[in-house]
Structure formats: C-alpha cells, structure tokens
Amino acid sequence: MSGGSTPIRLLLADDQALVRGALAALLSLEEDLTVVAEVGRGDEVVPEARRSFPDVALLDVEMPGLDGIAATAALRAALPTCRVLVVTTFGRPGYLRRAMEAGASGFVVKDTPARQLADAVRRVHAGLRVVDPTLAAETLAAGVSPLTERETEVLRTARGGGSAADLARALHLSEGTVRNHLSAAIGKTGARNRADAIRVAEQNGWLLGD
C-alpha cells in the first residue's frame, strides 16, 4: 500500500465462525485490506453493510437466514458501491452462474491460497471480474439448468423424502402432476431415478433456494 492510500474495507459473511475468523486473520495481514465487519447469517449482510460501509463483501453461499446468492442481490440493491466476492466451499457451476446474475463481481473457492484471495479482493475492488478458472470451465460445460421452476421446486421438496402423495400435499399439487414433474426432471438430468436426479441437480447448484 502506498503512503496515503486508504485500505479496502471488507465485510465477511460466513456461518462457520472458524472459517470466518481464519479469513479475517489472513486478509488482515495485508496492509491494504481491513476487515470492518463480520456476520454469520445472510440476512445480517445488508444491515451490517449499512452500518460499516464496506468496499467489498466476501459472502459464503450457504448461510442461514438468506443464502449468499440472495444476499448478493440484496446488497447490490441496497449499496451499489459495495462489490461482492463470493467465497465458498460449494464450487458448483449453477452457483457461479446465479451469483453473477445476482450481481457478484467474483466467485472463488475457500481453498484459494491467501495471496490469491487477497489479489481477488483487490481486482474486484478495482472493478474487474474474478472467477475460479476451473469452475468457469465447468459452468460453460454444464450450461443453464434444464429444469423448469416447478420441476426445481418438486425436486427441492423431494430432498426431504416422502412419497409422491406427500410431495403433492406439501406443494398443493395433484399426485399425477408431481409424478409428471419428477419424471421430467429425471429425464432432463439423465438420472436413473428420483434420488439420482436430486444428486445431479444438487451437484450443479440447480436446487439452491431463491
């Protein structure tokens, strides 16, 4: 950092306190970065950002209260000057696409070396896009989710188990309609059965809640 430069202000959001603390410690070693806020829930991101005015927010994907994708969209709407870098364990193609659509400037996985992560923060702050190259290639290969909104909802509900009748009651649909959606989802994902379709959709990040 040059003499009169102001450090880049960071907000960290991760529901695992140990991970959040480790990120804070590593990033604080960089003299041009300063952690001004830490939260453990997605629905705490915007209120805390309004208090601390970060330049860059580092958000996990899977958090209680509000997932990181929804938190990204909310933060970009509330504080357009704050850029978002998604830092997650879940390097799934569907997550990357949705994060970028929500307004994130970058997407990296948590095992990114500390120096590269700090550099990603600087690049995002400078207005550049930063994407894990392996994940970018996988996203291009995987493409957009082939599932309709209703098929996604049925598969998401089916993760908890239960018969077609149980799903129909939960979703306020007829049992026949549920079976049709499940059959379509199984076909579109190239799966062998319902459990396999759920597995494929989860691996691609297609079942993350809105």
Side-chain angles (χ1 to χ4, degrees):
M1 182 176 66
S2 59
S5 297
T6 302
I8 299 170
R9 297 168 61 83
L10 308 179
L11 180 151
L12 307 183
D14 193 302
D15 63 333
Q16 298 182 52
L18 285 175
V19 172
R20 197 170 67 242
L23 274 176
L26 287 171
L27 292 170
S28 294
L29 293 175
E30 304 289 330
E31 64 177 36
D32 61 336
L33 306 179
T34 181
V35 177
V36 296
E38 297 180 40
V39 298
R41 295 174 56 90
D43 53 4
E44 295 174 344
V45 170
V46 169
E48 184 54 48
R50 283 189 168 131
R51 282 191 291 270
S52 57
F53 295 103
D55 299 308
V56 178
L58 286 77
L59 309 184
D60 187 21
V61 171
E62 297 199 349
M63 294 185 287
L66 199 65
D67 68 65
I69 308 296
T72 293
L75 181 56
R76 293 292 294 154
L79 279 87
T81 58
C82 180
R83 302 186 189 278
V84 176
L85 176 62
V86 175
V87 185
T88 184
T89 304
F90 301 96
R92 296 171 182 165
Y95 286 5
L96 168 57
R97 177 180 57 79
R98 292 187 61 188
M100 292 308 190
E101 288 173 352
S105 296
F107 194 109
V108 296
V109 291
K110 284 181 183 172
D111 58 4
T112 299
R115 186 166 294 178
Q116 288 182 29
L117 180 58
D119 187 54
V121 169
R122 295 182 187 106
R123 290 168 65 192
V124 163
H125 180 251
L128 303 175
R129 283 194 174 241
V130 180
V131 177
D132 180 271
T134 302
L135 194 56
E138 290 175 355
T139 298
L140 287 174
V144 175
S145 171
L147 304 173
T148 65
E149 185 175 343
R150 184 64 83 181
E151 289 159 4
T152 302
E153 184 181 17
V154 170
L155 273 191
R156 193 182 291 141
T157 305
R159 285 188 296 189
S163 65
D166 294 329
L167 298 178
R169 279 193 296 273
L171 294 167
H172 306 291
L173 298 172
S174 72
E175 192 172 335
T177 298
V178 167
R179 290 186 187 280
N180 286 339
H181 285 313
L182 285 172
S183 178
I186 290 168
K188 288 179 179 180
T189 56
R192 298 183 301 275
N193 51 41
R194 181 172 87 175
D196 195 35
I198 293 169
R199 179 188 61 78
V200 171
E202 283 188 325
Q203 286 180 344
N204 283 288
W206 296 336
L207 299 187
L208 189 67
D210 288 313

